[in-house]
Amino acid sequence: MEFTCLSEGKGYYFPPCHILDICGFRVLFDCPMDLSSLAIFSPVPTSSNSIAYNRKFSCSSEKYAGLELNEDKRLKIDKPLDANSLIGAEPHYRTVKNLLLWNVSFIDVVLISSPMGMLGLPFLTRNKDFSAKVYATEATARIGQLMMEDLVSMHKEYRQFYGAEESDAPQWMKWDELELLPLELRQIVFGADGTEFGGWMPLYSAADVKACMLKVECLKYAEEACYGGTLIIQAFSSGLEIGSCNWGISGPKASISYISSSVFSSAAAMSFNYQALQRSDVILYSDFSSCNGLDKFDNDDNCSGAAGNNYSNLSSDDVNSEGHDTLLNDEEYLEEMEKLNFICSCSVDCIKAGGSVLIPIARIGITLQLLERFAVNLASENMRVPIFLISSVAEELIAFTNIIPEWLCEQWQDRLYSGQPLFSHVEMLKDGRLYLFPAIHSLKLLKTWQEPCIVFCPHWSLRLGPVVHLLLRWSADQNSLLVMEEGLDANLALLPFKPMAMKVLQCSFVSGIQMQKSHHLLKILQPRHVLFPEILRQHIGPLETVFSFNYYSENKMVHIPYMKDSELDITVELACQLQYTTLKQQDMNISRLKGELMIEHGRYRLHLGNDEQVSSHPRPLVHFGRIDLNNLLTALQKLDMNATLEEVTGAAGSHKASRIHVSEPSKAMIEVIEAQTVISAADENIASVISQAISGVLDCI
Amino acid sequence: MVIECLVLGAGQEVGKSCVVVTINGKRIMFDCGMHMGYLDHRRYPDFSLISKSHDFTRSLSCIIITHFHLDHIGALPYFTQVCGYNGPIYMTYPTKALAPLMLEDYRKVMVDRRGEEEQFSSEHIVECMKKVTAVDLKQTIQVDEDLQIRAYYAGHVLGAAMFYAKVGDAAIVYTGDYNMTPDRHLGAAQIDRLQLDLVITESTYATTYRDSKYVREREFLKAVHKCVASGGKVLIPTFALGRAQELCMLLDDYWERMNLKVPIYFSAGLTIQANMYYKVLINWTSQKVKDTYATRNAFDFKNVLSFDRSLINAPGACVLFATPGMISGGFSLEVFKQWAPCEKNLVTLPGYCVAGTVGHKLMSAKIPTQIRLDEDVQINIHQLSFSPHTDAKGIMDLVKFLSPKHVILVHGEKPKMVTLKEKIQSELGIQCYLPANSESLCIPTTHHIKAGASDAFVRSCLSPNFKFLKTNSAELDDSHKRTMPLLQVYDDRVSEGILTLQKNQSPKVVNQNEFMEALGVEKHEVKLAHCFRVYIPDSESGDASDCLPSTSRKGSLLHLISEKLCRELPDFDVQDCQEHIQIQSVVVSFCSNEKCPHRTGVSLQSVDKKEVHFCCSWSVADDALAWRIVASIKNLELDT
């Protein structure tokens, strides 16, 4: 097995991407896209900032006019970063660069773990050499599709503004242009070490998305999909987002668990089902979340020091019961709820002051939870403030979340069982507390619009979609509130909207396994081998583990040994026909085995082969070992033969051969030279009797 | 290894489905239903047969419920809360959501209306449902290390599933109730091709063959329309779930098309609440209905209102859905009694009514007025003939598709089941049984021997093994033109290896070379040899000046022999290689070595010039062939 990490990703919105070679098949995990890189582009200008934009646009269109202008640009680098430094062009999107180094036609299977891990998929599927099977859970596939469609529709705004693209390489991508970019932007274009340019692609089209979706095979929760008869692929909830999953892959030689960023007690999605991953041979640990929230590390290290070093001391029962308690404690959940409540109370305060709230968070689970909370909080404050959900796919998304109770967290499932409606937003929609609109300029929206209000809308990068317009509208309003996620470079993201009077609330949500929990997790899962990201090495520290482990880093192939022999099922019909012989030296029974090997549902099975073949070509006996001459003599004498031994020596006196002469009942001679015995006899019968006697003293099969 | 199958209910009858299957030591209870026709102890399966000590938690690995109908789930709260079963219970999401409604409704009817002593309380239902693990379709659940179960879509009602269970190499499918044709709101049953030892299938309609549904739907709509057009009231007694939604979709759609304004009522909150479940669980309906979720959920009925008791005797036409379906009591009976005396009114009857219910009486009565009720019965009766059960063809199709080694029929009427059993045995050649209640049945299972296989063995099995055989179909024809050899390509991947068994180790399969290497032994070749004398009649004696025949003569003689052997051994490939002839491992050559060690037997000293020695050697495998060749060559002197 070979494992290569193509990209470590960058948090929730840009999950990691890997490729695994198992049982002769290449499996690609996720195909994401780095949307945070959109920050280098300037959002589509609207009337309020068009003046600034026009200045810039005329400047770039005359860029070949002369040296003067060029010098002008040089100055730009030294200038502090401002809205004009951003690239004013139709954006390109940054894909996983290392994936381009692989031959697309050699990928057999693509496993999509979350909607975010799907956003780059149309780039891959539109390649005419692409022939892999794509698996995703039903919910991931649907939500992913909606997110891609939304992206395409938001991007349209750029396209309408800039017109059709002239060539493959836009102006801004030219080297001399790139060199002129401010340092901050260059770091995003080229990567921190300046070597990562590449993977910038123009966005796919709606048709690409549609074609891509046709290639996605939807899986039910924990449904066993069988690829090529060999690999059994299963998706288990990871708890990160509605529909997101971890993968179990098992073949005849190994079983592997792929653990993506997972959440034990999720606020919205069905929680991390780690029990299903128990006892797999290899765990590919691909949760990078603990390196993103750096502040937690000190705390974690202490805990792991205490808990992590005694893997072998505790009996497995103790480990398990203790482990489960640690993993499932609801601290995390409560903390998350507190955060959401905080967002709510901040929002309520800001509405009280007459401002509006803008929430460009693309996490569906968080959005649903916030809607629930707003429903309660606003009602308790006796406030009637409209909530708008503006997105080209808002209606579909909300309708879809209503029909997938199978992927929701326990708390919401319990509502279903107790006969309550799943979400309060169904009621809110009915009585006009919540509105869904496809776009900011839709007529209905303009009619119902009222401020203050609460708006959920894409895109979190603050470069696309309704959020741009609303930010421009509210950025100067000190009473309004923008809720955004941590991890995004706020300074750069908010650049086009400066000066900002608006309040900004940055918050982080649980998006992976905490380091100390991962120790307990692995204790329970009992793998034989674990692959950790290199970046976690310092946090994992010296482990005293029952499993072996090593580390991987970006674009370096790691070899994973197979842990066991292939397993073979032998049918009873065949097993009944086996004739065992016991070896003379070892205490071992052996039997020749002949049949037809099939691979069915990830298992090798040996059937009784074609009868005709078996009977028509009896396999000759194969002898092995050395002849013990005395034994042979005894055996011959038992058969009433008169046999005498003669040693033949070579010219130099070296031992050449041993000969046994048989005189009775008829003449025969047996010559034994090391690993060869020759029987000479004129009589067929005696020859066969002798050869049987020889078979008797040799091991044969 | 056997599968033991203990039928606790629905053996040769319909009602209280409950089968306990033991596969390789794992015990699974499929369904835990109650019989609607009995009010005494016979309404529950005889659980004491499972365990004398009544320690059900230990004696069962899990319970699987196929769908929410009471004859499949009715006894569950009793079994878990009163009998004390505390182990895992599995059912699909919709079943888990809808079952409490059914159970609570039933409990109310029993206690509140009939005034019976309650078998289980509301609390019991809630506590019981907490123990349930909900599963998705096709989700493969590892109940414990050995037992694996999986649900497949069964149609029938929302959330109905067939269940697959596997322990080791033995596997079975328990179908529950299913429908092989899609209806208004549900799809047809769907299952993978599986390797099964046993299928336990329902056989409600073991001998019925149904035609298209559309005719029956039209008849129903016509009857309803006729009734309401003349100002009559239509009573549709149904289960709250399933049939109600199907008929309602049908009517709602018809009302739209015909622009009818007659109110359609749902009795009680139950069905209204049920509709909410249908909306959320729309993924479990048919594809066509499912696709509507984003625009208008198909279960958002436009023309449906909720009913109030005061409306019973309100003037004007109406359609009313009321529970229970078999008019065994409750609201449907209440309304029936009110509406029955009026000949303008219409009551529909479900396809199946348990004996003892009013529905059953109505169904069996030729003329309605003969029914002994307190009231005079003048109402029109329309028998609904669409059923969510599969017909005989569907059962045959499913059994044929799954091709199990054995079939057990349950949930049917004995005479019909006997007919179906014979059909399955004669047409499909599959053993079929119909055990009665409390009967136990053993069925042999498949079992595989597990072994480890070395890479080299697997590789050698998987690599193609091409054999090119040239078959000269015709010999050289008269005109000496060679016919083209027919090339035949074989790819016989016969896997050969060596199975080794060692104490305290699992069996292992390796290929031969690996085996030798692992043991550190060499192959030992055992050959046979024979050097013998043949008298060659001299045709050209003058030339024979040498002791030995000249090389050219030797050549021609060998050629002669090879031709002869070719003739005599047409099945073998005789290779004439100048110095020797080779047939498989048999090598024949002239022997000039006077002291050839293989020259045994009588050695005559006389050196006849016409004598030639042939030396043959071969390996043990070709022993028989070699002696044939020896004999053939010895015969040379006689032939020539």
Side-chain angles (χ1 to χ4, degrees), chain A residues 617-678:
Chain A
H617 297 291
R619 165 117 192 178
L621 285 177
V622 173
H623 297 90
F624 52 91
R626 291 291 168 89
I627 286 188
D628 185 319
L629 290 165
N630 289 330
N631 283 353
L632 180 58
L633 278 174
T634 328
L636 292 175
Q637 273 150 11
K638 267 189 195 153
L639 292 164
D640 290 332
M641 287 188 193
N642 192 352
T644 50
L645 180 68
E646 176 203 3
E647 296 290 339
V648 183
T649 46
S654 62
H655 184 258
K656 214 177 135 195
S658 310
R659 282 182 185 166
I660 294 174
H661 297 278
V662 178
S663 52
E664 287 297 323
S666 71
K667 269 206 154 187
M669 194 272 288
I670 305 157
E671 187 179 56
V672 183
I673 311 166
E674 293 191 337
Q676 181 177 316
T677 301
V678 184

Side-chain angles (χ1 to χ4, degrees), chain A residues 406 568 572 589 595 619 677 679, chain B residues 284 447 451 496 501 524 527 529:
Chain A
E406 296 88 349
L568 181 72
V572 174
N589 287 317
R619 165 117 192 178
T677 301
I679 306 163
Chain B
W284 294 72
H447 179 64
E496 286 192 33
L501 277 173
H524 190 107
K527 292 183 85 173

Side-chain angles (χ1 to χ4, degrees), chain A residues 168-187:
Chain A
D168 285 345
Q171 198 61 43
W172 67 268
M173 254 196 192
K174 300 231 159 88
W175 280 106
D176 46 352
E177 287 281 319
L178 290 172
E179 304 251 310
L180 295 175
L181 285 175
L183 181 66
E184 289 90 338
L185 302 190
R186 256 185 300 162
Q187 271 182 351

Side-chain angles (χ1 to χ4, degrees), chain B residues 510-555:
Chain B
V510 294
N511 75 7
Q512 190 173 302
N513 295 342
E514 264 184 308
F515 173 72
M516 301 271 184
E517 224 165 83
L519 281 185
V521 292
E522 272 177 82
K523 194 170 165 179
H524 190 107
E525 206 176 353
V526 179
K527 292 183 85 173
L528 289 107
H530 181 41
C531 190
F532 57 95
R533 184 181 58 167
V534 176
Y535 175 78
I536 305 292
D538 198 358
S539 48
E540 330 150 55
S541 53
D543 290 342
S545 50
D546 262 324
C547 289
L548 292 163
S550 68
T551 5
S552 61
R553 212 190 139 211
K554 269 201 302 193

Side-chain angles (χ1 to χ4, degrees), chain A residues 142 220-224 234 253 270 279 395-396 399-400 402-406 413 416-422 565-572 575 578 580 583 586-597 600 603-606 613 619-620 622-627 659 667-669 674-684 687-688 691 694 698 701, chain B residues 93-94 96-97 100 134 136-141 145 148 150 169 195 273 276-277 279-284 290 293-295 297 446-455 457-458 461-462 492-503 508-509 512 515-516 518-519 521-530 597-601 618 620-621 623-624 627 634:
Chain A
R142 183 71 190 138
K220 292 273 188 186
Y221 184 88
E223 175 180 349
E224 283 187 351
Q234 263 182 301
K253 286 208 69 176
M270 185 183 237
R279 279 181 293 275
E395 207 163 315
E396 279 130 306
F400 184 68
N402 264 321
I403 63 159
I404 42 165
E406 296 88 349
Q413 280 190 1
L416 174 73
Y417 300 140
S418 59
Q420 302 164 31
L422 274 183
D565 278 329
S566 300
E567 276 174 19
L568 181 72
D569 288 345
I570 303 168
T571 58
V572 174
L578 296 180
Y580 291 96
L583 287 193
Q586 280 89 348
D587 185 17
M588 186 194 267
N589 287 317
I590 57 170
S591 167
R592 193 166 277 289
L593 189 67
K594 187 172 180 176
E596 221 173 312
L597 189 77
E600 285 165 10
R603 288 193 73 88
Y604 289 118
R605 184 162 298 164
L606 202 62
Q613 286 177 337
R619 165 117 192 178
V622 173
H623 297 90
F624 52 91
R626 291 291 168 89
I627 286 188
R659 282 182 185 166
K667 269 206 154 187
M669 194 272 288
E674 293 191 337
Q676 181 177 316
T677 301
V678 184
I679 306 163
S680 318
D683 181 58
E684 192 177 336
S688 102
S691 94
I694 289 173
L698 279 172
I701 187 160
Chain B
Y93 282 92
K96 182 172 179 186
D136 205 345
L137 289 177
K138 295 201 177 174
Q139 177 181 351
T140 306
I141 303 124
E145 221 163 298
Q148 201 179 59
R150 194 183 302 150
D169 299 314
Q195 288 192 341
Q273 196 176 15
M276 183 208 79
Y277 283 109
K279 271 188 262 179
V280 172
L281 298 165
I282 198 165
N283 260 329
W284 294 72
K290 217 188 287 185
Y293 83 87
T295 50
N297 198 305
T446 37
H447 179 64
H448 299 301
I449 316 284
K450 306 264 179 290
S454 74
D455 285 347
F457 171 73
V458 172
C461 294
L462 295 179
D492 298 329
R493 299 188 197 184
V494 174
S495 314
E496 286 192 33
I498 290 168
L499 179 77
T500 64
L501 277 173
Q502 238 173 326
K503 256 184 201 160
K508 194 168 173 186
V509 181
Q512 190 173 302
F515 173 72
M516 301 271 184
L519 281 185
V521 292
E522 272 177 82
K523 194 170 165 179
H524 190 107
E525 206 176 353
V526 179
K527 292 183 85 173
L528 289 107
H530 181 41
H598 310 312
R599 242 174 246 188
T600 49
W618 62 91
V620 197
D623 204 33
W627 289 110
K634 277 182 177 167

